[in-house]
Amino acid sequence: MPERAADVRFEATEKSFGPVHALHPLSLTIEPGTLFALLGPSGCGKTTTLRLVAGFEQPSAGQVFIAGKDVTGLPAYKRNFGMVFQSFALFPHLTVGENVAFGLQMRRVSRSETATRVQRALDLVALGRYADRYPSELSGGQQQRVALARAVVFEPDVLLLDEPLSALDKMLREQMQVEIRQLQQRLGMTTVFVTHDQEEALTMADRIAVMRDGRLLQAGAPRDIYERPDSQFVATFLGASNILTATVEGIEDGTVVAALAGQTVRAAAPPRQPERGAEIALALRPERIAIGETGLVEARVEDFIYRGATVQVSLDLAGQPLNATLPSDRALGLKPGAQVRLSWPDDALVALSG
Amino acid sequence: MPSLRLSSLALLAPPVLLLGVFFVMPLCYLLFVSFMTNSMGDLYETVPTLANYTEIVSDPFYHLIIERTLLSTAVILIACFLIGYPVALYASRLEARGRLLLLMALMVPLMVSNVVRAYGWVAILGRQGVVSGTLNTVGLVDRPMSFLYDFQAVTLGLLTILLPFMVITLTNSLMTIDERYREAAEALGAGPWRTFLRVTLPMSSPGIASGLMLVTFLTLSAYVTVALLGGPRYKLLVSFVFDSVSSFRWPRAAALSFVLLILALVVAAVIQIIVRPGRVKGRG
Amino acid sequence: MTFGGVLLRAIVVIAMGLILGPIVIVLVLSFSSGNSLSFPPPGLSLQWFVEFFHAGQMRDAFLLSIGLAFAAACGSTLVGLLTALYTTRRRGILGSVLQTLAMAPLVFPALILGLALLLLYRTINMPVLPGLFVAHVVVCLPYAFRAVLTSLQSFDTRYEEAAHSLGAGPVRAFMRVTLPIIWPGVLSGWLFAFVVSFGELNTALFLTGPGVTTLPIEIFSYLQFQGNQLVVAAASALQVGVILLLLLAAERVIGARRIVSR
């Protein structure tokens, strides 16, 4: 299939249902060819955002653009997108082949071309021999692949995935994450998917937008978001994170200098610069902390939780609770009540703006 | 299974006795009687015969009646579908409160005895009825006119009496179709019409089939409605079951009953073939 | 609104008119002060209701119908409850056969069942009233059975097991725990059965006898043999009235949603 990528753009798009603001004004561009994740807890507005792209909802204000074209007000069937639904929504009265052919028939593609393209799409998802089966005769993973084939066969501008893996069990889910990722790369199709699973978003996406209460909190590459969260919510929603309180002493070219447990530490500065003397929240990932005889700050060991490959150590840092995750062999010899010193790489500490 | 349960036998005995003795057994007996000889004094004469059936099958008069019965059933089924489907579609798209009201408005007539509803049509179409009276008052006709006792009256009456069954069955069936299937069709580029024809309509086929079959069975056995609106002039097969009883020809009545049942099963089979409700479960 | 939307609404209005119109006309005519079917009636009066209660046969049929419906509803609800208990607790072939059989009278032509029962009754010399009662229990059974079955299917048997663990025997566990929880289903089953019996025509057509007539049959024979008088409208209005009253009570007790969603 030829590569064809379109961008998706929101311009001050908002949506309210009666008094409820499902989506506060959102301005966001999804670049052509990216695999973009909308991530957040339920009720955060991610599904509404997806449905605004699809045209199942119309914005209360603002516009939506697909491939540079203003599609605001256009019904779903006049937009050119493919969609995989939460529990796939494969038509139960049609065979796998008929399901995949549906979108082509709606576009009045000739019969012979439809047949070849359906076959090619099914081959793409390794289900070439299943065209005559009914959806109910397939396993969950196979249904998922049929849904994908149905969504991409007519070469849509954008592919939308609404919690595409939530109907599958854990093992299958991890396998499909990789499969979807590979398929998307091969087709180069701009893809937007909705998920509440941070691991899924980190594994699959080129870019992630974290949402909460109808607002976009932070958007960026997975590594940026994970390593440089700019709010407490993002820091804790994506993986575990310690939140520590410190006092700002000054700002030096992009880093915050702060007092933490009587020591001066450096942290990556948030987008909004804090004032001198103000209290600030710092995020520190447990797996980046090292425990030893030397280090930046002193802490007391409180407790251990053995987790197989790793050990989670609960620490007390001058009255602030702190968790560290160590490889099991490194935790040997630690005892509750012991005084230890902690250290971490320079970029591990991140100052948060909220 | 936990052992502390109401004893099986105590649960089983009453329904089995009731249905065995007063449902299955009488029907078997009826079948038996249909192969006996008509008798003047007794219920039947214990002389096995096929005459009751062969007489019906070979009598051109009964051919006419069966033809007429099938025709009116077909017209009622088609009208029930064409009127009932839009109403059900409308009901299924209402918000919960409105739908509840509409379904209640359909439910109440179902509960009212058919004789009352048929009488309503007699009061409208009869010689001293509302239509005739209005036409007289307006001056369009100068004498009372009856619109009863013909094909139209019986069909209209049966249609309106049975329509709620169709609508309620269809609405329930339409309500079970997940919104996502319609959205999926739209996402694939199908407009409202094509979404309806390709997705909603086929996915509601189990409801269509069960609604139509219910209407079939009720149409074929609606003696009172046919008697009141068709009168002595327009009779359907079911009328002759009753007439045979009135003239004490029990074996004939029994045979006619089974002909009626076979007719109902044939119509039901035709409905299954046309509507194909099985395809929704993915069995083609 | 689109053309399609207008058309849809028009069909709904026409359909509802055709369904409700005849009933409304009967209700209005029953209050007529005139003595013909002319519509609208010249004035309003209760004379036809008075006449109804003076006509001994009609009044007796009305009372018999109410009593019969009450008894048949109780009978079919009881049998329906037992059947539902069996089919939900004991799966297997017998259970599914019983379930099919219990639902069969719903679609099986009642007229033919009536004829078959009449033949049986003639053969075994069954008295009229008990015969009619049994027939109505059979005809109403599917309605009662289905309502009880739905509520039993959503009943969590762990409640009953909890009662057993606390020392209640099967009967006490049922009476103290299960029945109070599935009560709305049982009640709505009873109401359905009552309504069906109260309007039932097709078996009663064969099974009523001299002095033992139900209201629908009385209305029918009146229309057939004595003509089209307005006392029939009053009888019909009473038939509708009892049902409306019952539905109103049902709405209070179990909610409209349960009545509609079967």
Side-chain angles (χ1 to χ4, degrees):
Chain A
M1 283 176 209
E3 274 196 20
R4 174 151 139 219
D7 67 330
V8 176
R9 201 163 87 244
F10 298 91
E11 266 183 23
T13 317
E14 61 177 295
K15 177 69 186 177
S16 36
F17 297 101
V20 183
H21 261 284
L23 185 66
H24 290 276
L26 171 75
S27 294
L28 176 72
T29 302
I30 296 170
E31 297 295 339
T34 42
L35 179 51
F36 195 98
L38 292 166
L39 174 67
S42 66
C44 73
K46 56 187 192 300
T47 302
T48 305
T49 309
L50 194 78
R51 292 172 65 84
L52 283 167
V53 180
F56 296 140
E57 310 288 353
Q58 295 296 344
S60 315
Q63 287 134 298
V64 180
F65 297 84
I66 297 177
K69 208 177 79 187
D70 185 355
V71 294
T72 317
L74 218 56
Y77 57 91
K78 289 187 178 159
R79 304 179 180 196
N80 190 29
F81 66 94
M83 182 155 176
V84 174
F85 288 80
Q86 201 164 3
S87 38
F88 316 137
L90 296 175
F91 302 127
H93 59 294
L94 303 179
T95 62
V96 165
E98 288 165 347
N99 262 285
V100 177
F102 195 98
L104 295 169
Q105 288 164 354
M106 294 304 126
R107 285 165 177 76
R108 306 202 185 285
V109 173
S110 75
R111 202 174 272 251
S112 58
E113 201 191 330
T114 299
T116 34
R117 283 170 75 172
V118 166
Q119 197 51 50
R120 218 187 313 154
L122 284 175
D123 287 340
L124 192 68
V125 294
L127 285 174
R129 301 206 333 272
Y130 289 78
D132 294 329
R133 302 274 187 96
Y134 281 90
S136 57
E137 298 165 336
L138 302 185
S139 72
Q142 290 170 329
Q143 291 185 13
Q144 163 80 70
R145 294 204 204 115
V146 175
L148 267 171
R150 183 175 77 170
V152 300
V153 69
F154 50 89
E155 293 167 22
D157 292 330
V158 208
L159 177 61
L160 307 178
L161 312 171
D162 182 10
E163 303 256 5
L165 303 172
S166 61
L168 307 177
D169 60 35
K170 193 168 181 298
M171 289 279 284
L172 199 53
R173 198 153 59 215
E174 284 167 5
Q175 183 193 334
M176 287 308 299
Q177 286 173 1
V178 177
E179 275 188 35
I180 291 180
R181 169 89 193 148
Q182 285 170 348
L183 183 72
Q184 190 268 341
Q185 303 238 300
R186 213 173 333 153
L187 300 176
M189 203 175 273
T190 311
T191 303
V192 186
F193 82 102
V194 155
T195 180
H196 63 269
D197 182 343
Q198 44 104 6
E199 243 183 78
E200 194 170 294
L202 290 172
T203 315
M204 293 172 66
D206 296 320
R207 290 182 79 77
I208 298 176
V210 184
M211 300 185 68
R212 185 198 189 186
D213 296 337
R215 285 177 214 277
L216 173 68
L217 294 184
Q218 191 177 358
R223 181 172 284 269
D224 290 341
I225 301 226
Y226 187 78
E227 292 180 358
R228 292 286 306 271
D230 61 18
S231 65
Q232 198 163 321
F233 179 80
V234 174
T236 50
F237 191 74
L238 271 84
S241 189
N242 294 296
I243 306 294
L244 302 165
T245 312
T247 316
V248 178
E249 291 184 333
I251 312 250
E252 283 172 20
D253 46 77
T255 54
V256 176
V257 180
L260 174 67
Q263 296 292 320
T264 301
V265 294
R266 288 171 175 274
R272 189 156 44 81
Q273 298 240 324
E275 279 174 41
R276 219 182 130 85
E279 288 224 318
I280 192 167
L282 304 175
L284 179 59
R285 297 282 176 197
E287 71 272 14
R288 306 207 70 185
I289 300 172
I291 300 180
E293 321 248 297
T294 58
L296 278 171
V297 293
E298 198 176 63
R300 194 177 69 242
V301 177
E302 299 272 299
D303 200 6
F304 303 92
I305 298 170
Y306 178 69
R307 286 198 168 138
T310 60
V311 169
Q312 184 186 315
V313 187
S314 308
L315 298 151
D316 182 293
L317 176 67
Q320 298 197 54
L322 184 72
N323 286 322
T325 309
L326 304 180
S328 292
D329 53 341
R330 298 270 191 81
L332 294 170
L334 287 177
K335 288 189 173 58
Q339 291 291 328
V340 293
R341 296 194 75 83
L342 311 178
S343 57
W344 50 79
D346 282 346
D347 62 346
L349 204 57
V350 178
L352 305 173
S353 51
Chain B
M1 275 225 171
S3 55
L4 281 169
R5 286 279 166 84
L6 294 169
S7 137
S8 284
L9 200 63
L11 295 180
L12 207 50
V16 167
L17 271 176
L18 180 77
L19 291 167
V21 178
F22 295 102
F23 186 64
V24 177
M25 200 172 86
L27 293 176
C28 295
Y29 187 45
L30 189 69
L31 187 62
F32 167 78
V33 172
S34 74
F35 290 105
M36 292 298 123
T37 308
N38 289 289
S39 151
M40 282 298 105
D42 292 319
L43 288 175
Y44 54 86
E45 235 175 284
T46 323
V47 180
T49 172
L50 284 174
N52 299 308
Y53 289 100
T54 50
E55 277 169 33
I56 297 167
V57 173
S58 60
D59 189 340
F61 174 73
Y62 279 117
H63 289 181
L64 185 77
I65 294 301
I66 289 174
E67 237 168 71
R68 176 194 271 186
T69 303
L70 285 177
L71 179 72
S72 72
T73 307
V75 170
I76 288 165
L77 287 177
I78 291 167
C80 256
F81 175 73
L82 290 181
I83 301 174
Y85 206 99
V87 179
L89 206 59
Y90 180 80
S92 72
R93 293 187 181 169
L94 284 175
E95 28 71 59
R97 230 189 113 67
R99 183 169 56 246
L100 197 66
L101 266 165
L102 186 59
L103 288 182
M104 279 304 273
L106 288 165
M107 211 63 177
V108 173
L110 273 194
M111 296 178 161
V112 172
S113 184
N114 282 356
V115 74
V116 173
R117 302 178 67 196
Y119 170 61
W121 281 114
V122 172
I124 293 172
L125 301 176
R127 189 169 298 277
Q128 299 132 22
V130 175
V131 175
S132 167
T134 312
L135 290 180
N136 265 306
T137 320
V138 177
L140 279 175
V141 292
D142 50 5
R143 59 192 171 77
M145 275 181 73
S146 169
F147 297 89
L148 287 173
Y149 311 140
D150 57 11
F151 171 77
Q152 288 92 321
V154 171
T155 308
L156 181 67
L158 281 173
L159 170 69
T160 55
I161 286 172
L162 301 178
L163 194 53
F165 284 106
M166 190 71 195
V167 176
I168 290 173
T169 314
L170 273 175
T171 306
N172 286 337
S173 160
L174 283 169
M175 296 296 298
T176 60
I177 302 176
D178 195 320
E179 182 74 19
R180 285 209 197 96
Y181 289 111
R182 271 205 293 281
E183 287 185 351
E186 264 192 65
L188 294 168
W193 257 111
R194 285 202 284 181
T195 302
F196 173 74
L197 287 177
R198 296 284 308 266
V199 176
T200 311
L201 191 61
M203 285 192 72
S204 62
S205 56
I208 299 173
S210 56
L212 289 180
M213 293 208 284
L214 191 58
V215 170
T216 304
F217 276 86
L218 293 171
T219 300
L220 287 174
S221 59
Y223 169 70
V224 168
T225 314
V226 176
L228 286 179
L229 300 179
R233 270 197 278 146
Y234 193 84
K235 292 186 172 187
L236 296 183
L237 192 58
V238 67
S239 320
F240 293 93
V241 176
F242 194 82
D243 289 356
S244 300
V245 172
S246 304
S247 56
F248 303 109
R249 290 191 296 172
W250 302 94
R252 164 63 61 89
L256 278 169
S257 299
F258 282 99
V259 171
L260 194 65
L261 270 182
I262 289 164
L263 225 53
L265 292 177
V266 168
V267 176
V270 171
I271 289 170
Q272 291 280 341
I273 289 166
I274 294 176
V275 182
R276 285 189 297 134
R279 61 190 150 153
V280 172
K281 281 176 196 145
R283 284 196 297 270
Chain C
M1 208 190 321
T2 60
F3 171 73
V6 175
L7 189 68
L8 199 61
R9 266 156 213 258
I11 293 175
V12 172
V13 169
I14 291 170
M16 293 312 286
L18 286 174
I19 291 168
L20 293 171
I23 299 174
V24 172
I25 284 189
V26 169
L27 286 181
V28 172
L29 284 176
S30 70
F31 291 102
S32 172
S33 61
N35 53 8
S36 75
L37 282 169
S38 58
F39 194 89
L44 297 178
S45 86
L46 288 175
Q47 58 168 327
W48 299 111
F49 290 94
V50 174
E51 179 154 332
F52 173 88
F53 282 105
H54 280 298
Q57 268 193 348
M58 281 245 173
R59 187 192 56 223
D60 290 349
F62 179 69
L63 294 176
L64 182 102
S65 266
I66 288 193
L68 180 66
F70 190 89
C74 292
S76 58
T77 307
L78 188 65
V79 178
L81 182 63
L82 295 176
T83 316
L85 275 171
Y86 187 84
T87 52
T88 49
R89 306 287 164 89
R90 305 265 156 47
R91 287 155 214 286
I93 299 174
L94 195 57
S96 54
V97 168
L98 192 61
Q99 180 160 357
T100 313
L101 209 54
M103 290 306 291
L106 187 67
V107 282
F108 191 86
L111 188 95
I112 296 176
L113 177 63
L115 173 61
L117 280 172
L118 177 59
L119 271 168
L120 180 76
Y121 289 171
R122 286 279 171 98
T123 312
I124 62 173
N125 280 322
M126 182 90 155
V128 176
L129 196 54
L132 190 58
F133 165 74
V134 171
H136 273 203
V137 171
V138 172
V139 170
C140 300
L141 183 62
Y143 299 90
F145 170 66
R146 188 165 53 185
V148 179
L149 187 70
T150 324
S151 61
L152 261 182
Q153 275 165 345
S154 58
F155 172 78
D156 190 340
T157 47
R158 276 176 301 182
Y159 291 125
E160 215 167 81
E161 285 163 5
H164 291 324
S165 77
L166 295 169
V171 175
R172 272 214 292 178
F174 178 77
M175 297 304 283
R176 297 280 302 272
V177 177
T178 313
L179 196 57
I181 293 177
I182 63 165
W183 182 243
V186 176
L187 191 63
S188 75
W190 187 91
L191 282 165
F192 261 108
F194 185 99
V195 167
V196 169
S197 165
F198 193 60
E200 210 280 336
L201 271 168
N202 286 329
T203 60
L205 207 53
F206 289 121
L207 300 177
T208 49
V212 184
T213 309
T214 63
L215 186 62
I217 298 300
E218 184 63 31
I219 294 174
F220 179 59
S221 35
Y222 206 95
L223 282 172
Q224 288 238 297
F225 303 115
Q226 313 199 23
N228 189 354
Q229 297 174 19
L230 276 176
V231 68
V232 177
S236 300
L238 281 170
Q239 214 272 333
V240 180
V242 167
I243 284 160
L244 286 178
L245 216 64
L246 217 63
L247 272 180
L248 223 60
E251 206 269 333
R252 277 287 160 82
V253 181
I254 55 177
R257 202 166 297 275
R258 193 179 275 276
I259 302 173
V260 173
S261 67
R262 304 204 277 162

